[in-house]
Amino acid sequence: MNPENAKRRIEELSDKVNYYNEQYYIYDKSEISDYEFDQLLKELNNLEKEFPQYKLPHSPSSRVGGDITKKFPVVKHEYPMLSLANTYTFEELEEFDKRVKKDLGLEQVDYFCELKFDGVAISVIYENGILTSAVTRGDGVQGDEITANVKTIKSLPLKIQNADYPKKFEVRGEVFFTKSEFEKLNKSREDQGEDLYANPRNTASGTLKMQDSSIVASRNLQCYLYYLLGEDLNIEKHEEGIKKLEKWGFNVSDSYRLCNGIEAIRNYINEWEHKRFELPVETDGIVIKVNSIKLQNKLGTTAKSPRWAIAYKYKAESALTELLKVTYQVGRTGAITPVANLNPVLLAGTTVKRASLHNANEIERLDLHEGDFVHVEKGGEIIPKITGVDKSKRSKTAKKINYISKCPECGTGLIRNEGEAQHYCPNDIYCPPQKRGRIEHFVSKNAMDIDSLGSETITGLIDKELINDIADLYYLKYEDLENLEFEAYSEKKGEVIKRRLLAKSARNLINGIEASKKQPFERVLFGLGIRFVGQTVAENLSNHFQNIERLSNASTEELIEVQDIGTRIAESLRAFFNDKMHLDLVERLKKAGLNFEIKEDNTGSNALNGAKIVVSGVFENFSRDGIKKSVKVNGGKLVSSISSQTDFVLAGENMGPAKLKKAEDLGIKIINEEEYLKMIEEK
């Protein structure tokens, strides 16, 4: 394709994909199949790689992230982002209404009411219909510019499709996790043996400030917009601004209402007090705004808050119920999670039977005793939590609850590493839930992706002693599986059921296991289930060390030099590879034909002529993986550690001091990003 045709096609594809994204994420319409959409996006990505000069600022390929931001620039807001004054009683709300009417000299005022979503405030600037920048609230006067991260939010338009927008305008809204996405994220962390995030709001805030936008993209943040600002808007009321946002394709919650006077506001508040729990996102109150923009300007602002708006905060839902007992769950990595089993109680629209206790510190802090009556709250939490104990109801003979010292599943003594809040069971090979969980993790979609192997079948294969670990999967035979009968607990039915593998299921399972051998090294590494090694860490390790031999022999110091690897992860890796049983497991998987190295790609140029290169630090023009792919495509050989055989070190910002010193001591040439670009461009 010639450059002129490529430019036209890129523009056409960008508009098409953005349009289909808007229809799907804003209007819940699927005008084309997932396959057709993926093909359009794939064609766009390929053209942008071949003709990068024509990639548009609103390209939907930016949704997947990949940009690395070393430091977020501080930007001054054109319009200050003031915080709202809060009120917790209807009497205080009546006082607000009286004050507004008195200051305006009016008998009645129209208010715009909307739900207050529990997320992170964001300001987004559009110029000529294209998203150009996004800034956090910060201190209200200035905030951090996080455009690359905000572009990954699929429900936020990168380009406005309609033609009646002003040259420049600003929208404000709330970025949040849906309840389901937050639960999914915590489930993933639990599977990796990591501490769970406490609540969606703080997690959304932390996610928006991550350096790697590809991680932000993977977390599927959402956004509701609620405010339009700018010149030449031709609106007289706040409601008109909201209608324009809806028309332009912004994601606006349809829960808003125009209320004429204080009684209408009361009805709106009462209506949503319980109905809000049916929404997919957490809410903590109602925002009330004077609808007329002329009247807003007349009322003005204080140093901190607008005088024309206020937030009514619902009280956190709380209930008192009896603690029946504390049980302990064993996760895939051996992490022990204590759970409070409660006398069922209605809370925030659902019946609560269990509450999280997190760890031993929380049990000690609450001073829990058997049979205590506890206060349970949902507040901003997805999982109910115990906030306190009514000690006036405690029996004089009640026994203090002490954290267990042995694994409830296998009886092994629990370990608690220094600096960690959680206990865990070290018997990772034979502890039943760890064994089962490790195999479930290994076959999961993001690891080996053996979708024909569900948890019930895994349980059956273990019980029939056909498998004991992940390597055993690759030595199963069709004859072992055909018409195999077993019993397994069904989560859906809540009971033990009898199962039998018919011939077709047995064949699908064998084929699925065989197909998984093609998965790349980073997914195999993630599938091993090493404690604290998630997808991103596994990818970084595989790119850095290239094969399992270099990784397994790396020292703690060498591991820490890798992007996103700290002492805790490094020590976990060393513990894994120092265990002979784990090494034997890896060896059996290698013999079965799994990938434990990254295959070199020599299809590109030979500008680097086979030079052995160590890459370290953060780069301006490349993502973490992009710089390494560039080295390989241009004929270079990536090596993980510096030695006398290293040709040169490609150093980015924040290069590891240990590597820098070693390179200097050995007299290895060190080049920066600019020198590297000249090197590959000249040849």
Side-chain angles (χ1 to χ4, degrees):
M1 185 178 290
N2 64 49
E4 188 177 338
N5 288 339
K7 183 174 183 292
R8 279 200 299 269
R9 183 59 176 162
I10 285 173
E11 291 172 352
E12 179 186 353
L13 286 168
S14 295
D15 286 342
K16 272 189 176 182
V17 174
N18 277 327
Y19 170 77
Y20 291 131
N21 258 329
E22 178 185 327
Q23 293 302 304
Y24 183 80
Y25 289 103
I26 306 298
Y27 304 114
D28 199 24
K29 295 178 182 177
S30 297
E31 296 191 5
I32 60 174
S33 69
D34 289 348
Y35 174 78
E36 290 171 310
F37 179 87
D38 289 342
Q39 291 303 111
L40 290 174
L41 189 56
K42 184 178 180 180
E43 182 186 353
L44 175 62
N45 286 331
N46 289 337
L47 283 173
E48 287 178 341
K49 286 176 184 176
E50 189 175 352
F51 301 94
Q53 67 271 31
Y54 299 134
K55 181 176 179 178
L56 299 168
H58 62 278
S59 170
S61 63
S62 60
R63 298 285 195 195
V64 300
D67 295 326
I68 303 294
T69 307
K70 293 172 286 187
K71 186 177 180 182
F72 296 105
V74 176
V75 177
K76 186 174 182 180
H77 294 297
E78 187 172 348
Y79 306 93
M81 288 188 75
L82 303 176
S83 58
L84 294 174
N86 292 327
T87 178
Y88 295 88
T89 67
F90 196 75
E91 288 72 26
E92 291 173 339
L93 202 55
E94 286 179 317
E95 289 299 318
F96 166 77
D97 177 54
K98 289 176 183 176
R99 186 168 62 251
V100 166
K101 289 188 291 189
K102 180 181 177 183
D103 290 346
L104 294 174
L106 297 174
E107 292 294 323
Q108 192 74 288
V109 175
D110 287 339
Y111 294 101
F112 185 91
C113 294
E114 60 196 353
L115 288 168
K116 188 175 184 297
F117 299 103
D118 199 14
V120 182
I122 191 76
S123 166
V124 188
I125 308 296
Y126 285 80
E127 297 180 66
N128 298 315
I130 295 172
L131 192 161
T132 56
S133 68
V135 186
T136 63
R137 180 196 296 277
D139 62 4
V141 176
Q142 58 186 17
D144 293 325
E145 193 259 302
I146 54 169
T147 309
N149 287 346
V150 168
K151 279 186 174 182
T152 68
I153 301 173
K154 296 182 179 67
S155 59
L156 191 65
L158 299 177
K159 180 184 179 182
I160 309 303
Q161 301 295 326
N162 301 65
D164 64 341
Y165 47 79
K167 185 175 181 181
K168 181 180 179 182
F169 64 90
E170 177 179 345
V171 292
R172 291 181 179 172
E174 206 80 2
V175 177
F176 56 84
F177 274 104
T178 62
K179 296 173 185 177
S180 59
E181 285 296 329
F182 184 68
E183 288 173 348
K184 189 187 299 181
L185 177 61
N186 261 346
K187 178 64 168 62
S188 173
R189 291 181 67 81
E190 183 180 29
D191 288 345
Q192 293 167 27
E194 298 179 342
D195 293 337
L196 302 187
Y197 288 126
N199 60 66
R201 188 199 178 283
N202 292 348
T203 309
S205 178
T207 299
L208 283 174
K209 295 298 293 292
M210 284 181 162
Q211 289 188 331
D212 189 343
S213 62
S214 64
I215 300 176
V216 182
S218 71
R219 293 191 171 183
N220 200 22
L221 289 168
Q222 295 297 319
C223 184
Y224 278 144
L225 286 307
Y226 53 69
Y227 198 13
L228 174 63
L229 289 159
E231 305 296 327
D232 304 319
L233 295 178
N234 296 319
I235 57 173
E236 296 181 354
K237 298 177 180 179
H238 179 78
E239 183 186 25
E240 294 172 9
I242 296 300
K243 296 294 185 185
K244 280 185 180 286
L245 291 180
E246 290 178 322
K247 182 180 178 182
W248 295 342
F250 287 95
N251 195 23
V252 177
S253 170
D254 61 3
S255 57
Y256 64 81
R257 183 180 301 166
L258 190 62
C259 295
N260 182 248
I262 193 68
E263 283 307 311
I265 294 175
R266 184 199 295 270
N267 293 336
Y268 181 81
I269 289 172
N270 291 339
E271 177 184 335
W272 281 102
E273 184 169 7
H274 297 292
K275 196 167 76 170
R276 63 195 176 100
F277 297 121
E278 300 170 10
L279 297 173
V281 59
E282 289 291 328
T283 60
D284 58 1
I286 301 293
V287 176
I288 300 101
K289 302 172 183 174
V290 171
N291 192 35
S292 166
I293 293 173
K294 182 180 178 181
L295 296 181
Q296 288 181 8
N297 293 333
K298 186 175 180 180
L299 289 165
T301 66
T302 67
K304 294 181 179 180
S305 308
R307 291 191 176 93
W308 45 268
I310 196 167
Y312 174 88
K313 301 292 284 286
Y314 288 113
K315 291 180 181 178
E317 289 282 319
S318 181
L320 185 69
T321 190
E322 184 182 7
L323 171 66
L324 301 177
K325 62 179 178 178
V326 175
T327 55
Y328 299 83
Q329 296 178 341
V330 184
R332 173 183 63 81
T333 61
I336 309 296
T337 304
V339 177
N341 292 267
L342 309 168
N343 200 355
V345 62
L346 189 65
L347 176 64
T350 59
T351 300
V352 173
K353 298 178 181 178
R354 306 197 308 167
S356 172
L357 287 170
H358 299 297
N359 51 52
N361 293 348
E362 186 70 0
I363 292 175
E364 185 65 29
R365 183 188 71 81
L366 291 166
D367 185 31
L368 285 181
H369 283 59
E370 293 177 359
D372 270 346
F373 279 80
V374 295
H375 296 282
V376 186
E377 189 174 294
K378 251 190 165 178
E381 314 293 327
I382 295 294
I383 303 169
K385 66 176 182 178
I386 293 176
T387 58
V389 177
D390 186 345
K391 294 184 179 179
S392 68
K393 294 181 177 293
R394 178 179 290 168
S395 166
K396 293 181 180 179
T397 59
K399 293 181 180 179
K400 182 179 175 65
I401 293 174
N402 294 309
Y403 202 88
I404 56 174
S405 59
K406 293 183 178 180
C407 175
E409 296 285 346
C410 68
T412 303
L414 299 182
I415 290 175
R416 187 183 194 184
N417 292 331
E418 186 177 348
E420 289 187 17
Q422 208 161 29
H423 289 74
Y424 72 94
C425 170
N427 182 21
D428 60 334
I429 302 296
Y430 298 110
C431 184
Q434 291 191 67
K435 181 194 300 185
R436 183 175 60 252
R438 191 163 52 251
I439 297 173
E440 289 177 355
H441 169 75
F442 182 76
V443 306
S444 65
K445 183 177 181 179
N446 293 324
M448 305 307 289
D449 194 19
I450 309 176
D451 60 3
S452 52
L453 187 55
S455 58
E456 293 173 11
T457 304
I458 289 171
T459 301
L461 293 175
I462 292 173
D463 290 345
K464 291 294 183 179
E465 299 183 352
L466 287 171
I467 60 172
N468 189 57
D469 57 37
I470 56 178
D472 287 338
L473 292 170
Y474 294 93
Y475 298 91
L476 286 170
K477 296 181 177 62
Y478 173 76
E479 296 75 25
D480 297 328
L481 303 175
E482 186 184 15
N483 292 321
L484 179 71
E485 293 185 349
F486 57 88
E487 291 184 346
Y489 179 79
S490 170
E491 292 282 352
K492 185 181 289 186
K493 294 186 176 181
E495 61 184 18
V496 174
I497 61 172
K498 289 185 177 181
R499 289 284 308 277
R500 186 171 69 156
L501 282 181
L502 300 177
K504 184 178 179 180
S505 297
R507 179 58 62 194
N508 287 341
L509 180 49
I510 292 295
N511 290 341
I513 292 171
E514 185 64 27
S516 73
K517 293 179 182 180
K518 296 178 182 178
Q519 295 292 0
F521 176 33
E522 63 265 24
R523 295 184 71 165
V524 178
L525 181 59
F526 173 59
L528 290 178
I530 303 171
R531 199 161 183 247
F532 307 129
V533 177
Q535 283 179 261
T536 302
V537 169
E539 190 176 333
N540 290 345
L541 289 168
S542 61
N543 284 328
H544 186 89
F545 291 105
Q546 298 289 292
N547 61 49
I548 196 71
E549 284 75 21
R550 292 176 190 155
L551 173 59
S552 62
N553 291 320
S555 65
T556 301
E557 292 72 23
E558 289 172 324
L559 289 166
I560 290 173
E561 290 177 7
V562 182
Q563 177 83 19
D564 295 334
I565 308 297
T567 303
R568 184 176 70 163
I569 296 175
E571 289 176 348
S572 177
L573 284 159
R574 288 302 334 134
F576 182 88
F577 289 115
N578 283 337
D579 189 315
K580 186 178 183 303
M581 295 185 76
H582 291 148
L583 294 177
D584 290 343
L585 181 73
V586 169
E587 196 60 36
R588 289 168 60 212
L589 289 170
K590 285 171 68 177
K591 287 180 180 178
L594 275 68
N595 289 318
F596 280 96
E597 66 177 349
I598 291 180
K599 304 286 192 298
E600 292 290 340
D601 181 3
N602 296 316
T603 58
S605 76
N606 196 34
L608 300 174
N609 196 28
K612 295 177 181 176
I613 304 167
V614 172
V615 175
S616 182
V618 179
F619 298 87
E620 193 71 36
N621 297 291
F622 295 92
S623 67
R624 181 180 58 243
D625 298 331
I627 188 68
K628 294 178 179 179
K629 288 177 181 176
S630 173
V631 168
K632 289 190 285 184
V633 164
N634 286 286
K637 292 184 179 178
L638 284 167
V639 291
S640 60
S641 57
I642 297 168
S643 71
S644 58
Q645 303 300 310
T646 304
D647 291 299
F648 63 85
V649 175
L650 174 51
E653 191 172 319
N654 299 325
M655 175 182 172
K659 277 189 178 176
L660 182 61
K661 186 177 186 305
K662 189 170 184 179
E664 291 171 345
D665 290 345
L666 291 173
I668 305 298
K669 183 180 180 181
I670 301 173
I671 67 169
N672 60 28
E673 186 175 1
E674 185 178 349
E675 292 169 317
Y676 171 75
L677 287 170
K678 286 181 180 178
M679 184 182 295
I680 61 176
E681 287 169 1
E682 287 173 359
K683 295 186 180 182

